[in-house]
Amino acid sequence: MRCGIYGGSFNPIHNGHLELSRSLLRQGLVDEVWLMVSPLNPFKQGSRELLPDQVRLRLASLAVEGEPRIKVSDFETHLPQPSYMAVTLQRLRESFPQHEFTLVIGADNWPRFPDWHKAEEILALHHIIICPRPGFEVCARELPPNVSLAPTPLLPISSSGIRQRIRQASYRGEGLPRSVWQDIQANHYYQCHE
């Protein structure tokens, strides 16, 4: 089975994450998408707005109800922190030798990919799918052989933008799955800085 590993803080998960995952599945680029909820992204250390792991996992699980080929994974929460994708992929290969793991990243991550922990190892052992992001151009002709640019939808939705809008009283949950927005409202998440 070809599993797309789509890592992120998912703080919170939104419709852009889901539509990107659905697009990869519709195109047959992977058989399943595993949303790898990161406990501590090395590039985002110190974020005061990061909800606890279990809360983000719960919100992501609510979002994928009825999506049998999109899975939410807590795999990284059981690994040493900060979480490095090279380590995650190594442990996934060891734990699920029957699967083939493809790394899914946004175009905003590609320019700094060489700075990732063991980036060369990731490139050597895995296919990488790059998904377009607003404001980040990637030339498909210049990519290494095992890296491809997927024609996924370019949706102007971001978790940081949603968090900012939640602090505005006029926000009504646009861009969020209904169940996620209801849970955020019920628990007053993101309404003020902690």
Side-chain angles (χ1 to χ4, degrees), residues 113-178:
F113 182 79
D115 298 327
W116 284 29
H117 179 68
K118 297 187 177 180
E120 291 183 7
E121 177 181 299
I122 296 174
L123 273 172
L125 298 174
H126 298 276
H127 182 71
I128 299 175
I129 296 175
I130 301 174
C131 300
R133 288 292 301 270
F136 294 89
E137 294 293 326
V138 174
C139 180
R141 294 187 308 274
E142 297 175 359
L143 295 174
N146 61 328
V147 180
S148 60
L149 183 62
T152 53
L154 195 61
L155 301 173
I157 306 173
S158 72
S159 295
S160 59
I162 287 173
R163 292 194 305 270
Q164 183 177 5
R165 293 184 66 199
I166 286 173
R167 291 190 293 272
Q168 302 167 359
S170 60
Y171 183 64
R172 295 293 178 261
E174 302 87 355
L176 289 172
R178 178 183 296 274

Side-chain angles (χ1 to χ4, degrees), residues 74-133:
D74 67 348
F75 193 84
E76 280 195 336
T77 65
H78 304 289
L79 299 179
Q81 295 183 24
S83 52
Y84 293 105
M85 186 53 70
V87 175
T88 300
L89 290 169
Q90 176 190 342
R91 298 290 181 85
L92 285 169
R93 291 192 307 270
E94 294 167 357
S95 300
F96 304 95
Q98 72 278 22
H99 293 340
E100 175 187 326
F101 294 104
T102 295
L103 179 60
V104 177
I105 65 172
D108 55 325
N109 280 307
W110 182 243
R112 61 183 180 182
F113 182 79
D115 298 327
W116 284 29
H117 179 68
K118 297 187 177 180
E120 291 183 7
E121 177 181 299
I122 296 174
L123 273 172
L125 298 174
H126 298 276
H127 182 71
I128 299 175
I129 296 175
I130 301 174
C131 300
R133 288 292 301 270

Side-chain angles (χ1 to χ4, degrees), residues 6-11 35-39 41 44 56 76 85:
Y6 183 6
S9 300
F10 299 105
N11 188 41
L35 302 179
M36 192 65 58
V37 178
S38 175
N41 183 323
K44 296 182 181 179
R56 289 180 291 120
E76 280 195 336
M85 186 53 70

